[in-house]
C-alpha cells in the first residue's frame, strides 16, 4: 500500500495532485501575476544549498501555485529541512521510518474507507481526489497515525484534515509526515479545557462584534457550540469547499501563530455572511454554517486582520485606567 520513495531530489519535488493532472492541462497563458509568483517560488526552491523558508512564508501569504503547493507546504511545516546538504539522506530516513509503522487497524480501516467513499460521492463533480487511489492512501496514513498516537481516537474529521495533503502530494510518506505535523498541533490545541476556553473566547468576540447576529442565533435556538467547536478544532477543513481550504492553509502555514489567528478568520466569515444568515431560519443557518460557500479567502484574511486590530483596540480601551 505504501509508495516507493522518490528516486532523486528532482522527482520528489514534483507536487502534482493525485488526480493525475499533467502539465499539458495547465492554461497556456497564465496571468502575469501568477507567472511572477511561480518564478519567485522556483528561485527559492531551486537553491542547491539552502532553501530560504522565510521567503517561502512571505510569498505563500499571497497564495501558492497549485502545482508546487505540496512541495512548499513541506518546508513551511518543517517536514523538509532548509539545509539541503543531507536532503536525500533525510528523505530516505523519513521514508524508512514511515515504512516501519504498522498500518493495520481493521476497525479504523473500515471507518476510513466508509467516510472517504461518502466524501467522494458527496463531492463527485468537484472532487480533486482520485477515487481509485485516494481510499488506499487515506487508509494507510490515518491507520498509521492512530497506531502511532494511542491517545488519539478516530474521528471522521481526520479525513477532512488529511484531504488537502492527499490532493497536493504524490508520495504517501509526504502525506503522512505533513498530516502528522498538523494533526498533532490540532490535537494539542483541542485538549478539553483548551477548546472550551477557545470556544468561550470566540463567542465573547462574536457577541461583542456582531450582537445582532449573535442574538438572532439565540432566538433561533441555534446550538452555537456545535458549529463553533468544529470551526475552531479543524481549521474549517470540514466546512469550507476544498479550494478555499487550500488557499486558507497557504496563508496559515506561512504564519507562526495560525492557531491564534484562526478565530479572527472565523469571525470574518461570519461578518461576510451576516446578511445572508439573518435571512435564514434555524435549519438553514445550521446547513450554511456546516457547509460554507466558496469565498474569496484573500478578502476574508484581510478582514480577519482588521477584526483582530479592532478587538485589540477595544480591549486596550477597556483596560486603560480612567483619568
Amino acid at each position: 500500500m505504501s509508495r516507493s520513495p522518490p528516486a532523486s531530489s528532482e522527482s520528489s519535488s514534483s507536487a502534482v495532485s493525485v488526480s493525475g493532472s499533467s502539465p499539458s492541462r495547465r492554461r497556456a497563458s497564465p496571468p502575469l501575476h501568477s507567472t511572477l509568483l511561480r518564478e519567485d517560488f522556483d528561485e527559492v526552491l531551486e537553491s542547491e544549498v539552502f532553501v530560504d523558508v522565510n521567503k517561502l512564508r512571505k510569498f505563500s501569504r499571497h497564495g501558492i501555485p497549485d502545482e508546487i503547493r505540496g512541495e512548499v507546504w513541506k518546508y513551511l511545516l518543517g517536514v523538509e529541512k532548509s539545509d539541503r546538504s543531507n536532503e536525500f539522506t533525510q528523505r530516505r530516513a523519513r521514508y524508512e521510518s514511515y515504512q516501519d509503522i504498522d498500518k493495520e487497524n481493521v476497525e479504523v480501516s473500515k471507518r476510513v474507507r466508509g467516510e472517504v467513499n461518502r466524501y467522494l460521492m458527496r463531492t463527485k463533480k468537484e472532487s480533486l481526489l482520485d477515487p481509485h487511489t485516494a481510499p488506499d492512501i487515506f487508509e494507510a496514513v490515518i491507520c498509521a497515525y492512530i497506531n502511532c498516537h494511542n491517545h488519539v481516537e478516530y474521528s471522521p474529521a481526520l479525513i477532512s484534515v488529511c484531504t488537502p495533503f492527499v490532493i497536493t502530494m504524490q508520495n504517501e510518506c509526504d502525506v503522512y509526515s505533513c498530516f502528522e505535523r498538523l494533526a498533532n498541533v490540532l490535537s494539542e490545541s483541542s485538549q478539553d479545557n483548551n477548546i472550551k476556553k477557545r470556544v468561550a473566547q470566540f463567542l465573547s468576540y462574536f457577541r461583542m462584534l456582531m450582537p445582532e447576529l449573535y442574538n438572532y442565533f439565540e432566538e433561533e435556538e441555534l446550538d452555537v457550540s456545535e458549529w463553533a467547536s468544529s470551526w475552531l478544532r479543524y481549521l474549517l477543513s470540514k466546512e469550507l469547499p476544498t479550494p478555499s481550504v487550500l488557499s486558507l492553509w497557504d496563508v496559515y502555514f506561512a504564519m507562526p501563530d495560525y492557531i491564534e489567528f484562526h478565530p479572527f478568520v472565523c469571525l470574518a466569515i461570519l461578518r461576510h455572511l451576516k446578511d445572508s444568515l439573518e435571512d435564514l431560519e434555524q435549519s438553514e443557518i445550521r446547513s450554511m454554517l456546516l457547509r460554507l460557500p466558496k469565498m474569496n479567502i484573500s478578502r476574508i484574511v484581510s478582514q480577519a486582520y482588521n477584526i483582530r486590530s479592532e478587538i485589540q483596540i477595544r480591549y486596550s480601551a477597556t483596560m486603560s485606567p480612567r483619568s
Side-chain angles (χ1 to χ4, degrees):
M1 194 178 297
S2 299
R3 308 294 184 267
S4 58
S8 66
S9 171
E10 180 180 357
S11 64
S12 67
S13 298
S14 58
V16 185
S17 164
V18 295
S19 61
S21 298
S22 63
S24 62
R25 294 178 62 186
R26 298 174 197 157
R27 288 181 297 177
S29 301
L32 178 60
H33 173 74
S34 175
T35 303
L36 293 175
L37 184 66
R38 175 62 193 268
E39 289 176 355
D40 288 336
F41 279 105
D42 285 344
E43 183 178 352
V44 176
L45 293 173
E46 290 170 4
S47 171
E48 295 182 0
V49 180
F50 179 83
V51 173
D52 192 332
V53 178
N54 287 330
K55 282 188 177 180
L56 289 183
R57 294 187 189 282
K58 178 182 177 182
F59 300 150
S60 298
R61 294 189 187 109
H62 305 289
I64 303 172
D66 292 343
E67 61 271 22
I68 58 170
R69 177 175 281 117
E71 187 68 10
V72 175
W73 277 9
K74 285 189 288 182
Y75 285 103
L76 298 182
L77 290 168
V79 169
E80 291 280 18
K81 306 302 180 186
S82 55
D83 183 352
R84 307 190 81 160
S85 58
N86 295 314
E87 180 180 56
F88 183 74
T89 301
Q90 292 170 350
R91 288 180 179 175
R92 171 65 66 174
R94 181 158 53 83
Y95 171 77
E96 292 176 350
S97 177
Y98 177 67
Q99 288 293 95
D100 290 339
I101 299 175
D102 177 16
K103 303 173 186 65
E104 298 295 326
N105 190 316
V106 176
E107 181 181 350
V108 172
S109 292
K110 183 177 180 180
R111 298 176 70 181
V112 167
R113 282 195 171 270
E115 189 65 30
V116 171
N117 287 332
R118 283 190 290 274
Y119 175 85
L120 290 171
M121 287 295 293
R122 190 173 66 245
T123 62
K124 184 180 295 185
K125 292 183 179 180
E126 67 273 13
S127 178
L128 300 175
L129 294 170
D130 183 339
H132 302 292
T133 61
D136 286 345
I137 297 173
F138 277 106
E139 183 181 349
V141 168
I142 292 178
C143 284
Y145 182 73
I146 295 289
N147 289 341
C148 285
H149 301 80
N150 295 327
H151 64 287
V152 177
E153 296 184 3
Y154 173 77
S155 165
L158 293 176
I159 304 296
S160 302
V161 174
C162 190
T163 295
F165 301 116
V166 178
I167 289 171
T168 58
M169 298 171 188
Q170 277 190 311
N171 189 272
E172 187 179 294
C173 175
D174 290 338
V175 173
Y176 176 80
S177 298
C178 292
F179 169 72
E180 181 185 38
R181 290 291 177 104
L182 180 58
N184 285 345
V185 170
L186 297 183
S187 177
E188 183 178 345
S189 68
S190 297
Q191 300 285 336
D192 286 344
N193 289 335
N194 195 17
I195 191 62
K196 289 177 181 177
K197 290 179 181 178
R198 291 175 63 208
V199 170
Q201 183 69 83
F202 171 75
L203 295 179
S204 174
Y205 291 157
F206 179 22
R207 188 188 305 114
M208 178 178 67
L209 291 173
M210 291 165 274
E212 299 90 352
L213 184 60
Y214 183 91
N215 291 335
Y216 184 61
F217 279 11
E218 288 202 323
E219 290 172 10
E220 290 294 315
E221 299 181 345
L222 197 72
D223 184 359
V224 177
S225 61
E226 176 192 18
W227 62 267
S229 178
S230 178
W231 281 26
L232 294 174
R233 279 179 183 269
Y234 306 114
L235 301 183
L236 295 166
S237 61
K238 292 174 61 180
E239 293 81 15
L240 278 174
T242 301
S244 297
V245 174
L246 297 177
S247 296
L248 180 61
W249 287 12
D250 286 348
V251 178
Y252 279 0
F253 296 160
M255 304 174 73
D257 59 345
Y258 60 89
I259 293 295
E260 287 73 23
F261 184 70
H262 179 61
F264 303 110
V265 169
C266 295
L267 291 167
I269 290 174
L270 286 174
R271 180 172 281 181
H272 175 71
L273 297 175
K274 180 177 181 295
D275 291 342
S276 298
L277 290 167
E278 289 177 340
D279 289 336
L280 303 176
E281 296 180 352
Q282 184 199 66
S283 61
E284 297 169 318
I285 295 172
R286 183 177 181 275
S287 295
M288 177 174 281
L289 294 176
L290 297 180
R291 285 285 181 270
L292 293 168
K294 188 175 181 179
M295 54 191 75
N296 187 316
I297 293 300
S298 295
R299 292 181 182 176
I300 293 296
V301 169
S302 178
Q303 180 70 272
Y305 278 112
N306 293 337
I307 287 174
R308 184 172 67 175
S309 297
E310 182 180 342
I311 289 174
Q312 290 172 341
I313 290 171
R314 289 199 187 194
Y315 269 83
S316 296
T318 302
M319 298 299 293
S320 298
R322 296 182 181 179
S323 55

